[in-house]
Amino acid sequence: MDDLYQGNTIQDVGRLLPTKIERIEKGKEVEQIVNILKNAKRDGLKVSIAGKRHSQGGHTYYPDGVVLDMTSFNRILGIDKKRKTIHVQSGATWDDIQKALAPEGLAVKVMQSQNIFTVGGAISVNVHGRDIKNESLGHSINWFHLLLPNGKIEKVDRKSNPELFKDVLGGYGLFGVILDVELQVTDDEVYKIRTKKVSVDEFPSYVHSLRENPNVKMAYARISVAPKTLMDSMFVVEYHTTKQPLTGNFRKLKDDQQPFLTYSLLNLSRKTSFGKDLLWYLQERYFLSLDKSLISRNNAMRSESDFLLYKNQKDTDTLQEFFIPIDEYPSYVKDIQAFLKKDDINLLNFTIRYVSKDDSSMLSYAKTDMIALVALFNHGKQKHDVEKSQKSIQKMIDITLKHNGTFYLPYYPYATKKQLLESYPNFDEFVKEKEKYDPNEYMTSLFFERYRK
């Protein structure tokens, strides 16, 4: 069926938790999906929900269970240009959505920085992105239909059912199957890219001023993980509004540019310090060269995604994400820098974004306005390699918690239960909510089993 499902053994893209399951079933029609749950219940089997399986910690499967693969349940059901909304099935990817919106002169408000993920998966982890004005994804969801574990279908929105809305948003597929969703979208626009270098110490004041600038719609930053400039060198990329008309050229969606070159340089940086220094040098030069160029909103959201599909028999790339209150950033970076100089964890990249305070999810990761640091690591697949990396990442989580920060849950579960509870004090309440809606635990995952106890 795919390279992540062979001989009844399933994996996610991290390829660290191979697990034998009973079967995988493709969701295609609502009645058929209802029957998949009904038949699993009849057979005494647990159900997990999967999209593209980029959640890396066993969120999408469970031993000897049924995996409901939603990627075929992906139709665009309607666009309302007047209301600026799009109605889609949950297996649609952001690429599908952008291809439907672009001809209408519309664009997504919030999505991940890559467009390969399903909207149902994005809701389940409550994503955020480069947009600095529209907060997390939850704020652009009008409503969704949810197939509950008891077999009933309910229309959920934040006004009529605020409790269930908060549970499902960032609920990791544990409260039911998201069937379809209406998203509030916005106008596609032409932006001017502005890039510059910013120091670590001035970054908090830079972020505060950025948020207050009405002309800046999106922004992100990168900080060096290269040995020569480790956590010292930063550049920022901003997207400013213009009066440039959205002509056909701007409206056309771009594909990945030079993915082979990016892949080759990243591969070199996985193996050598020289590769890390070279990649940072070329990356910085390239992004700074984009200053004053023009790009549409849709295309500004279409980053390269090939690096997320890394496959190797001996090692793997894993993601982690840390959230830090804005004013803690300089001291946090100094502590992380000191840690990285002593530790030999293979850190490949740090991308930085702004995240507004968010209470739309029971498991909110942004308890105040925060800076998000998305880390890409590489490590071996053998047990001792994973355990070694786990210890290193747990130390990074401890540093994050010391600075009143939090960490994100869609990735490999390196964190201890104590760390999770410190980061997500509502987790026990989340478990109780889960028991309320699914008392027989028909829907579960390896991730939930690890942390619920």
Side-chain angles (χ1 to χ4, degrees), residues 87-103:
H87 181 202
V88 301
Q89 292 179 329
S90 62
T93 64
W94 293 114
D95 185 41
D96 296 329
I97 292 169
Q98 286 186 311
K99 284 175 178 173
L101 290 176

Side-chain angles (χ1 to χ4, degrees), residues 14 59 73 115 128 139 142 162 219 226 271 288 293 312-313 324 362 373 378 396-397 408:
H59 300 73
F73 194 71
N115 58 20
H128 60 94
H139 295 272
N142 291 334
K271 298 171 183 174
L288 291 176
S293 58
N312 191 286
Q313 291 295 319
I324 295 296
M362 173 71 79
L373 296 97
N378 177 268
M396 293 181 75
I397 292 173
Y408 206 14

Side-chain angles (χ1 to χ4, degrees), residues 48-142:
S48 303
I49 309 163
K52 293 293 187 178
R53 280 178 263 159
H54 276 269
S55 292
Q56 299 177 344
H59 300 73
T60 55
Y61 47 85
Y62 186 78
D64 300 315
V66 175
V67 171
L68 173 57
D69 182 336
M70 295 295 287
T71 54
S72 296
F73 194 71
N74 60 359
R75 291 198 296 273
I76 306 295
L77 299 173
I79 295 173
D80 187 327
K81 284 190 72 172
K82 189 175 181 182
R83 290 176 55 239
K84 293 183 186 174
T85 62
I86 185 167
H87 181 202
V88 301
Q89 292 179 329
S90 62
T93 64
W94 293 114
D95 185 41
D96 296 329
I97 292 169
Q98 286 186 311
K99 284 175 178 173
L101 290 176
E104 307 296 334
L106 297 171
V108 170
K109 280 188 171 185
V110 179
M111 58 180 269
Q112 293 102 318
S113 297
Q114 286 76 32
N115 58 20
I116 61 177
F117 310 109
T118 64
V119 68
I123 293 169
S124 295
V125 302
N126 190 24
V127 300
H128 60 94
R130 293 178 176 177
D131 191 297
I132 61 172
K133 305 288 161 93
N134 282 306
E135 303 172 318
S136 68
L137 177 61
H139 295 272
S140 60
I141 297 170
N142 291 334

